[in-house]
Amino acid sequence: MSAIDRTARDMPPATPGVKRIAEPRADERPGSNYLNNGYGWKSWLLTKDHKRIGILYLISISLFFALGGIYAGFIRLELLTPQSDLLQPATYNKVFTQHGIIMVFLFLVPSIPATLGNFLIPLMIGAKDLAFPRINLLSWYLLIIGAVFALGAMMYGGVDTGWTFYTPFSSTYSNTYVTATGIGIFVAGFSSILTGLNFIVTIHTMRAPGMTWFRMPLFVWAHYATSLIMILGTPVLAITISLMAFERVTRVGIFDPALGGDPILFQHLFWFYSHPAVYIMLLPGMGIISEIISTFSRKNIFGYKFVAFSSIAIAVFGFLVWGHHMFTTGQSVYAGLVFSFISYAVAVPSAIKVFNWSATLFRGSISYDTPMLYALGFLGLFTLGGMTGVFLAAIGLDVHVHDTYFVVAHFHYIMVGGTLLAYLGGLHYWWPKMFGRMYPEGWGRFSALVVFVGFNLTFFPQFLLGYLGMPRRYAAYPVDIPAFQVLHILSTAGATILGAGLVIPLIYLIWSLIGGPKAAGDPWMATGLEWRTASPPPTENFHETPVVTWNAYEYAPQEDMEVIGKTSPDDKPDRSSYSGA
Amino acid sequence: MPRQASTFAGNVDTLYLALWALTLVIMVIVTVALIYFVIKYRRRSPDEIPQQIAGAIKLESGFMVFMFIIFMGIFVFGAKVYFAQYRMPKTALDIHVTGKQWMWKFQHPTGQREINELHLPVGTKVKFTMTTEDVIHSLYFPDLRVKSDVVPGRYSYMWLEATQEGEFKIFCAEYCGTNHSGMGGRLIVMKPTDYQAWLAGNLNNLSPVDAGREKYQALGCASCHGANAEGGRCPTLNGVFASQVQLVGGNSVEADEDYIRESILNPAAKIVAGYPAIMPTYQGQLTEEELLQLVTYIKSLAPAQTDGISTNAPALSNNPSAGAPTLEGQGASNPDAFRANPIGATAPSGGGTSSTPGAGQSNGTGIRPENR
């Protein structure tokens, strides 16, 4: 039976001993929800409803993603041939820069937190809204203003510094719209800071009665960790970009040695934000994967507390590894060793997560719904992406592969194979909750497979390219190394498939808004609080404040859980997997 | 796998392949486990709720420790490979590199210059002293597995020993502007005898030391530092390189290339104790190549061989001994030594006009002032 037409009435009768799970409430006023609560443009653009703001984000970042994707397409087409024939080098440099800026600052950073996080965190913890609804709306406007600056700069002539803005190239030598782009990133950064602030205050103060810290879904834990990074890291980026723009405009020496500055200082400041920023992009995705894995195997997350605390550990350690981007800058060998060491330390909590997700599947009841396919894809790709990060953290090896396509491949395995797949999985998983409609399952599974295949074909060859010595950001590459072109052609072919795989969901998801079958409150038999209200939820989320009496992912009473490696019959489950107080 | 053309290549490749082997093992474990679970535990009926399983602290902790040990192994391996690349050889063929949008300029110790092409002897340790005239570049020889960023305003170092004759790629690895992908060329590794022959055929340039000496005279350095760098109103430069220099305010600093460079471009940044801050800046009057030549010339000024004592601490300056000559010891860093002598009283020696010999040699005796 498909989950589509399941309603409250044909929920399974509760098995004896199993607490009632996830029934939609029967007392919803039929038909009233956040989507049909007002239709005018003001009801959207001036809304304070976190769900509507989430939808605003969803629409805007989808547009940014499409634009960034078009740039990616141009990059891949240009690299089909060794010569820079489709694009002049100057144009190519702008194209990869703008691909990076759009994808990182306008898509990946806001992607999951600002859309799904915004929509779901209040629902998951039983709140009516975020703590600061007006600030939440302001965050969206800041992102849009930032985007206007950044995209405006691109339309007027573009920027060619790379998304990393390394000085003194960016502050002195580039003759493109660096300052305007910098302002855009600066403003968009405040969107991120305010979102993080909002999440932290909400999670601390607005949890429903009974929703203790260890009853929160791991999605919320991941967003809590993410918000910490947003608040602590993003101001440093703002400072760095401002200083760069300040030097560019006033010629006061900060980073340019010709003016008395230090170009390496810029890299320290930049990566102090931008490495943790990778975790801003990744941690929410990990939160999604925890939700999906649990729901589609109908199991409690193995080692709940390990997964929760690993998010915090990643956020903390993530601040201490920025120097691994700078092994070849001539930084002190001891600094290099310390950064290398801590980079391995940060790999351990990531490994823990993969271990626990895999262990959750053990003896579960696994379905092959679209979100689960994305989650399984994430597990494989993230493992490979993470392991290649281990390559890069080995200093002696990094010297060779630094600034080559190996780094490009690693980064895309984490950001596309990790974050994007998690985002798509999460979007499918919560789509019925957000819009009250089911998407066509067959198309969903098909597109997940196409994305998986296309992704691997695009980026796996780039590992080989990188080790062969192909530097990144090259508009043209040598003809006399034939392997370069062969691998680039494979990569471009894969990108075509990946692109097609991403257009399919765009079509059927939009179609589902009109033609999709109506979704029940809880089409997946999930356990989270967000599934216990209607789909789509009413404006105030819950008609009455929910009182939480169950633990996270509690498919069956925790006392009845089986204990692995039990030595005596009265061994109790240990506290690492108990959720709850 | 690219060709293995340097002494590092083997180690780097071993590390790389070992990591792929480890990755393969982990990927196989994860993939097989996932596929097995997904098939074995597929949902049999729409409403089934499986038996829940509790987490296990011991299992998790064991896994954590296990992964940590594996990662530490890789860390040590990677660090060992890096140390070999990081430790500069004591004697090596010294190649100067200047990056510039968008070309690589190389200069051999005997003066030959090349652009976007570099000839090197096989089986010889080569040290690169590198800087750039504009933005950050990165000199990259993929077949030799070495790379180093070249940063404006300072010197970067890299060394290698080629093990294979042939032609190899030179790339710029750090994005540097419009024609970044065009900033590369050929590395030609040849037999040492062929290299000598190649050098002999390109004898139209001054060596960096000689060129630096010319600059030293032309820029008027001699008027304060002495015609043979013996000192005067300003400190001697003989043997200053690699010494500890005593600064105003009590700090001392090791006179490395970057210190000398800074003292030329921004003399006020670090004032040698006992001297007035009278030196003008040379910022903007020298290209990076000329600056490198000056630095090389100053590096070539060794202290007097006969009294190469260590005077790192002022207390020791009263205790000169004709000990073993050492590059470290020289008097320029000791202000007390200078104050005790009227300017020029002990220096230069009679042979002061003799031209300064090449790198690494003494430039005569008696130049270093003593306080008795």
Side-chain angles (χ1 to χ4, degrees):
Chain A
M1 179 184 99
S2 95
I4 296 166
D5 47 8
R6 181 184 297 119
T7 64
R9 281 188 307 284
D10 50 39
M11 287 293 286
T15 332
V18 175
K19 281 185 195 164
R20 191 185 68 119
I21 56 151
E23 276 179 42
R25 301 172 57 89
D27 61 341
E28 307 288 4
R29 274 171 307 193
S32 162
N33 62 52
Y34 82 100
L35 286 171
N36 59 22
N37 180 18
Y39 292 97
W41 62 271
K42 273 188 181 172
S43 73
W44 281 94
L45 292 182
L46 298 177
T47 182
K48 296 191 286 291
D49 182 350
H50 67 101
K51 298 183 287 304
R52 286 198 163 199
I53 296 171
I55 304 298
L56 290 177
Y57 271 115
L58 177 65
I59 295 166
S60 14
I61 66 163
S62 300
L63 292 175
F64 300 148
F65 180 70
L67 191 55
I70 290 169
Y71 280 125
F74 276 112
I75 294 173
R76 288 313 326 161
L77 281 178
E78 163 56 43
L79 293 173
L80 267 179
T81 56
Q83 300 79 18
S84 59
D85 34 20
L86 175 67
L87 305 171
Q88 291 299 307
T91 316
Y92 179 84
N93 295 343
K94 289 179 184 171
V95 166
F96 77 68
T97 300
Q98 289 160 194
H99 166 72
I101 289 173
I102 291 176
M103 286 304 198
V104 169
F105 296 111
L106 299 182
F107 175 71
L108 284 167
V109 168
S111 62
I112 297 171
T115 55
L116 297 174
N118 223 326
F119 195 100
L120 292 165
I121 286 176
L123 284 166
M124 284 180 164
I125 62 172
K128 282 194 165 68
D129 205 322
L130 287 174
F132 305 116
R134 285 186 180 82
I135 289 183
N136 195 22
L137 183 62
L138 174 65
S139 306
W140 181 72
Y141 276 102
L142 287 174
L143 180 72
I144 297 302
I145 294 169
V148 165
F149 273 100
L151 301 180
M154 291 173 195
M155 286 176 61
Y156 268 94
V159 59
D160 71 344
T161 57
W163 76 274
T164 47
F165 293 100
Y166 270 18
T167 54
F169 181 72
S170 61
S171 63
T172 302
Y173 290 86
S174 174
N175 290 315
T176 54
Y177 292 85
V178 180
T179 312
T181 312
I183 293 171
I185 291 170
F186 180 87
V187 175
F190 278 91
S191 163
S192 181
I193 295 171
L194 293 178
T195 302
L197 181 77
N198 225 334
F199 285 174
I200 288 183
V201 176
T202 306
I203 293 168
H204 269 278
T205 61
M206 312 244 318
R207 282 171 286 123
M211 177 56 81
T212 59
W213 281 87
F214 291 118
R215 277 177 173 169
M216 292 197 310
L218 291 165
F219 181 86
V220 180
W221 271 100
H223 275 78
Y224 187 79
T226 307
S227 305
L228 288 178
I229 307 175
M230 283 174 164
I231 286 191
L232 296 174
T234 319
V236 179
L237 176 76
I239 293 165
T240 315
I241 296 284
S242 319
L243 287 175
M244 185 269 292
F246 183 70
E247 175 174 278
R248 195 176 161 81
V249 173
T250 65
R251 312 304 301 142
V252 169
I254 300 161
F255 301 125
D256 185 351
L259 307 169
D262 182 350
I264 302 297
L265 174 66
F266 176 86
Q267 298 184 21
H268 280 290
L269 292 172
F270 181 82
W271 289 114
F272 184 82
Y273 164 77
S274 290
H275 191 80
V278 174
Y279 296 114
I280 292 182
M281 307 175 211
L282 183 63
L283 277 170
M286 294 171 150
I288 290 177
I289 298 305
S290 298
E291 301 298 315
I292 293 178
I293 296 266
S294 169
T295 296
F296 293 92
S297 60
R298 300 218 175 123
K299 284 275 302 293
N300 60 311
I301 287 287
F302 187 84
Y304 168 94
K305 284 181 188 169
F306 276 93
V307 179
F309 282 120
S310 64
S311 291
I312 305 293
I314 287 174
V316 172
F317 281 124
F319 274 107
L320 305 174
V321 298
W322 77 88
H324 69 207
H325 296 267
M326 302 167 56
F327 286 151
T328 63
T329 56
Q331 75 178 347
S332 125
V333 62
Y334 301 105
L337 287 176
V338 170
F339 283 124
S340 171
F341 179 85
I342 304 174
S343 303
Y344 286 111
V346 84
V348 173
S350 299
I352 280 283
K353 282 181 189 276
V354 172
F355 177 76
N356 284 327
W357 289 325
S358 311
T360 303
L361 296 175
F362 179 60
R363 286 203 246 146
S365 163
I366 299 170
S367 79
Y368 307 150
D369 292 306
T370 310
M372 188 60 162
L373 295 187
Y374 277 113
L376 293 171
F378 174 100
L379 276 183
L381 300 183
F382 174 69
T383 307
L384 185 55
M387 278 310 294
T388 50
V390 164
F391 284 54
L392 292 168
I395 312 188
L397 187 54
D398 182 72
V399 169
H400 174 52
V401 291
H402 178 70
D403 273 333
T404 67
Y405 265 79
F406 195 91
V407 175
V408 177
H410 161 70
F411 186 68
H412 284 85
Y413 260 81
I414 300 291
M415 291 291 105
V416 182
T419 304
L420 183 66
L421 255 57
Y423 176 64
L424 288 172
L427 207 55
H428 283 86
Y429 177 48
W430 283 294
W431 192 260
K433 179 53 59 185
M434 295 169 86
F435 297 103
R437 300 277 186 167
M438 298 301 298
Y439 52 84
E441 185 59 41
W443 281 107
R445 291 178 189 172
F446 175 68
S447 76
L449 286 176
V450 174
V451 166
F452 185 80
V453 171
F455 170 81
N456 278 299
L457 186 55
T458 310
F459 293 106
F460 195 82
Q462 298 186 359
F463 284 124
L464 309 176
L465 262 179
Y467 201 76
L468 284 175
M470 168 85 200
R472 65 196 289 201
R473 298 172 169 178
Y474 263 31
Y477 51 91
V479 196
D480 51 352
I481 306 179
F484 278 9
Q485 191 179 4
V486 173
L487 291 167
H488 272 305
I489 289 175
L490 283 178
S491 183
T492 304
T496 317
I497 299 174
L498 177 59
L502 291 172
V503 169
I504 302 171
L506 179 73
I507 297 169
Y508 68 70
L509 285 178
I510 291 176
W511 171 83
S512 76
L513 294 179
I514 307 137
K518 284 214 158 47
D522 178 13
W524 313 118
M525 273 180 79
T527 57
L529 197 47
E530 79 271 25
W531 299 107
R532 304 184 188 216
T533 186
S535 298
T539 302
E540 60 273 32
N541 292 349
F542 305 92
H543 288 304
E544 56 202 66
T545 306
V547 176
V548 181
T549 55
W550 57 88
N551 294 311
Y553 315 111
E554 196 175 42
Y555 278 94
Q558 291 195 132
E559 306 80 59
D560 298 347
M561 286 197 295
E562 186 179 333
V563 179
I564 299 272
K566 185 150 68 170
T567 45
S568 81
D570 29 84
D571 269 0
K572 288 273 171 265
D574 65 50
R575 270 177 297 166
S576 70
S577 64
Y578 259 156
S579 81
Chain B
M1 195 72 84
R3 285 175 289 175
Q4 298 186 338
S6 79
T7 47
F8 306 133
N11 286 337
V12 174
D13 288 352
T14 309
L15 177 57
Y16 179 71
L17 292 176
L19 282 173
W20 269 123
L22 177 71
T23 306
L24 195 67
V25 170
I26 290 177
M27 285 306 292
V28 165
I29 293 174
V30 171
T31 315
V32 168
L34 285 186
I35 291 174
Y36 177 78
F37 289 167
V38 163
I39 293 173
K40 177 109 197 272
Y41 304 121
R42 68 182 178 276
R43 189 165 296 166
R44 313 267 169 173
S45 78
D47 301 326
E48 73 178 338
I49 303 275
Q51 169 67 46
Q52 304 293 295
I53 299 173
I57 284 188
K58 280 180 195 158
L59 192 61
E60 303 257 10
S61 315
F63 177 76
M64 260 164 80
V65 171
F66 178 69
M67 288 314 289
F68 188 73
I69 291 170
I70 287 184
F71 288 150
M72 281 307 102
I74 305 169
F75 165 70
V76 170
F77 196 167
K80 273 179 82 171
V81 172
Y82 180 63
F83 266 130
Q85 300 171 354
Y86 176 80
R87 266 203 207 107
M88 294 294 152
K90 287 215 172 61
T91 54
L93 181 68
D94 216 340
I95 303 285
H96 289 169
V97 182
T98 311
K100 184 180 187 308
Q101 282 177 327
W102 293 272
M103 61 175 80
W104 290 110
K105 301 199 231 174
F106 302 99
Q107 188 171 22
H108 296 262
T110 39
Q112 290 79 356
R113 293 160 191 256
E114 299 181 78
I115 289 181
N116 287 349
E117 199 169 80
L118 176 62
H119 292 77
L120 287 180
V122 71
T124 310
K125 291 189 171 69
V126 182
K127 183 184 169 195
F128 296 87
T129 304
M130 309 182 287
T131 190
T132 150
E133 290 183 15
D134 34 53
V135 303
I136 302 177
H137 302 282
S138 185
L139 185 61
Y140 181 29
F141 305 114
D143 294 310
L144 287 80
R145 311 287 188 279
V146 290
K147 172 190 292 141
S148 175
D149 290 3
V150 181
V151 182
R154 66 175 68 170
Y155 295 115
S156 320
Y157 310 95
M158 173 170 100
W159 79 276
L160 56 86
E161 183 181 333
T163 54
Q164 209 184 91
E165 291 165 44
E167 208 181 291
F168 306 96
K169 290 281 173 208
I170 303 175
F171 287 134
C172 172
E174 183 67 66
Y175 174 67
C176 59
T178 309
N179 203 16
H180 168 53
S181 56
M183 184 169 168
R186 299 191 301 162
L187 167 69
I188 297 141
V189 177
M190 47 214 313
K191 287 196 186 70
T193 47
D194 293 345
Y195 175 69
Q196 290 305 331
W198 178 85
L199 286 179
N202 287 278
L203 267 180
N204 40 11
N205 285 309
L206 289 172
S207 76
V209 173
D210 290 335
R213 185 183 305 113
E214 281 190 357
K215 275 274 160 255
Y216 180 85
Q217 302 294 344
L219 289 168
C221 309
S223 62
C224 297
H225 288 285
N228 291 296
E230 68 278 10
R233 281 190 293 160
C234 294
T236 178
L237 301 175
N238 286 314
V240 72
F241 182 72
S243 70
Q244 290 291 323
V245 177
Q246 206 70 35
L247 300 178
V248 165
N251 292 335
S252 68
V253 62
E254 191 192 324
D256 57 6
E257 287 95 338
D258 279 312
Y259 167 79
I260 296 171
R261 173 200 174 82
E262 182 188 53
S263 299
I264 297 170
L265 295 180
N266 185 13
K270 297 193 176 75
I271 305 292
V272 177
Y275 286 92
I278 55 170
M279 180 164 159
T281 172
Y282 285 83
Q283 186 92 47
Q285 301 183 39
L286 293 157
T287 66
E288 287 294 344
E289 284 172 329
E290 291 167 340
L291 197 50
L292 254 176
Q293 289 158 355
L294 257 183
V295 171
T296 313
Y297 168 64
I298 292 169
K299 278 171 72 175
S300 76
L301 299 170
Q305 267 184 341
T306 46
D307 46 21
I309 56 151
S310 170
T311 54
N312 286 354
L316 289 176
S317 64
N318 293 327
N319 185 22
S321 73
T326 151
L327 271 174
E328 303 283 321
Q330 44 73 50
S333 65
N334 190 333
D336 297 339
F338 280 98
R339 286 208 196 89
N341 291 288
I343 287 163
T346 59
S349 70
T353 52
S354 69
S355 71
T356 311
Q361 293 185 21
S362 157
N363 67 338
T365 58
I367 288 175
R368 196 173 66 77
E370 289 293 337
N371 64 349
R372 65 178 67 172

